[in-house]
Amino acid sequence: MRINPIAEKISNVRQSVTRCVSLLSFLCAGACGLAVGYPLDTVKVRIQTQRQFTGIWQCVATTFSKEGVHGFFKGMALPMTTISITSSVAFGTYRNCLQCLKQARGTVHVPSTKPEIFLSGLVGGITQVLFVAPGDIVKVRLQCQTESMRRGSKPKYRGPVHCLLSILKEEGPRGLYRGALPLALRDGPGFGMYFLTYNTICELLSESRTEKPAWSAVMLAGGFAGTVAWSMSTPMDVIKARLQVDGSRETRRYRGLVHCIAETTRTEGAGVFFRSLGINCLRAFPVNLVVFVTYELLTGLLQAKPDSADTPRVGLE
């Protein structure tokens, strides 16, 4: 049977519009989530890398008393300006991988299976590391600067651009990817579990697999998806942060991933890998709740037919 070329063009345009709407919604949702969770992210990084901070509230109080509110937002400028690139890479890889897996089994217009969702998230999380790593190391090093210019102290890095250029000058291009391996080991499984948990909870709370989940299901699934993902990713997150900060010292303490794990375990015990688990979970629920609600809200407002077959069944798909 011959396919009507006009109908095919209309179908292609609809698919393109759907993908653009989903991508725009995802970018806005990611920016909102970043802004909401950044103060707790700063506290998390400081607890992971500096022994002077013994707990969440002690770190919050010390940071506020010495650096003010600004201390919680150090290094946020670069992630906020590059989130469109990193999110596009993660989102695009995830969606394309999901589509390829569905085409491979010859069922394009049916919901994705659980292994397909996890594998697509895994690939998306690993792929984005190439673009995330340089900005992430700048963010972490700025977050770990406890000096306050208001008190006359002179921090090593004056801002994101100065930090980026300093790393290139002192450590070379490879310095921007210090900690990239644990970052990939964190984000790959983390992204896979992130999408899988969201999809599973939405299905459990929806009356059928063909309709969009209710707002309450989206909020609950988004919050739990982030919490489960971070619970799985926290140990590698600790290793990543320590390797990134270690590069700024005159005498480096760690020779690599394995040595960092062994040395940290020997000197501080295995429990240190879960030191920031509490704050990760505390931060993950509201952040990812905001991300998914913003995504679903914008998708519903911008998409002409949100209940059509083209609408992604998985949040952020």
Side-chain angles (χ1 to χ4, degrees):
M1 185 176 66
R2 187 178 179 182
I3 300 176
N4 188 330
I6 297 179
E8 186 177 5
K9 276 189 174 182
I10 293 175
S11 177
N12 291 337
V13 169
R14 285 185 60 194
Q15 290 181 8
S16 298
V17 170
T18 299
R19 290 177 181 176
C20 289
V21 166
S22 297
L23 179 58
L24 179 61
S25 302
F26 182 45
L27 297 180
C28 294
C32 290
L34 177 64
V36 169
Y38 201 84
L40 285 178
D41 184 69
T42 298
V43 174
K44 175 204 74 172
V45 170
R46 292 188 171 190
I47 290 175
Q48 289 175 337
T49 58
Q50 301 180 42
R51 295 187 181 183
Q52 62 175 303
F53 300 114
T54 57
I56 297 175
W57 304 116
Q58 184 263 348
C59 182
V60 171
T62 303
T63 300
F64 182 76
S65 64
K66 292 183 177 180
E67 304 166 63
V69 176
H70 169 72
F72 295 101
F73 293 92
K74 287 182 175 180
M76 190 176 76
L78 190 59
M80 190 63 78
T81 54
T82 59
I83 193 172
S84 60
I85 299 174
T86 56
S87 297
S88 297
V89 171
F91 170 80
T93 304
Y94 168 74
R95 187 181 181 92
N96 289 332
C97 185
L98 202 61
Q99 194 69 16
C100 289
L101 290 173
K102 291 168 69 175
Q103 289 176 350
R105 63 184 174 97
T107 52
V108 178
H109 299 292
V110 298
S112 302
T113 64
K114 298 295 188 295
E116 288 174 346
I117 293 169
F118 181 83
L119 182 59
S120 298
L122 178 75
V123 175
I126 293 175
T127 303
Q128 69 153 2
V129 170
L130 181 65
F131 302 90
V132 170
D136 191 65
I137 192 171
V138 171
K139 174 188 77 72
V140 168
R141 291 196 181 181
L142 290 174
Q143 286 176 319
C144 290
Q145 286 193 154
T146 56
E147 299 88 354
S148 176
M149 296 184 69
R150 298 182 312 169
R151 294 174 175 264
S153 302
K154 187 178 180 181
K156 180 177 181 179
Y157 305 117
R158 297 192 297 269
V161 176
H162 180 254
C163 181
L164 186 68
L165 295 176
S166 297
I167 294 173
L168 282 172
K169 180 181 178 181
E170 297 171 4
E171 305 170 50
R174 290 185 60 184
L176 294 176
Y177 288 90
R178 186 176 301 279
L181 179 57
L183 179 62
L185 294 175
R186 183 197 75 175
D187 284 356
F191 268 63
M193 188 59 66
Y194 186 79
F195 288 114
L196 179 61
T197 304
Y198 177 78
N199 177 267
T200 301
I201 294 178
C202 281
E203 283 186 359
L204 291 174
L205 298 179
S206 299
E207 295 183 2
S208 67
R209 290 173 60 91
T210 57
E211 65 177 18
K212 291 179 70 65
W215 276 102
S216 57
V218 171
M219 294 171 66
L220 188 64
F224 271 108
T227 302
V228 171
W230 272 113
S231 298
M232 179 179 179
S233 304
T234 293
M236 278 299 150
D237 189 47
V238 174
I239 297 300
K240 173 199 72 75
R242 294 196 168 203
L243 287 173
Q244 289 173 328
V245 173
D246 189 56
S248 64
R249 301 189 178 104
E250 293 182 4
T251 303
R252 291 173 186 169
R253 184 178 178 184
Y254 308 116
R255 294 193 296 269
L257 173 66
V258 175
H259 182 254
C260 182
I261 294 174
E263 186 67 14
T264 300
T265 304
R266 183 182 67 83
T267 57
E268 301 177 60
V272 72
F273 296 115
F274 298 94
R275 179 181 293 172
S276 58
L277 178 60
I279 194 169
N280 271 338
C281 294
L282 179 66
R283 167 179 164 268
F285 198 95
V287 167
N288 291 283
L289 183 150
V290 168
V291 167
F292 278 107
V293 169
T294 304
Y295 173 83
E296 295 288 348
L297 176 63
L298 291 177
T299 301
L301 291 175
L302 297 175
Q303 203 165 12
K305 294 183 179 181
D307 293 325
S308 68
D310 292 332
T311 303
R313 274 291 299 133
V314 184
L316 302 187
E317 178 180 344

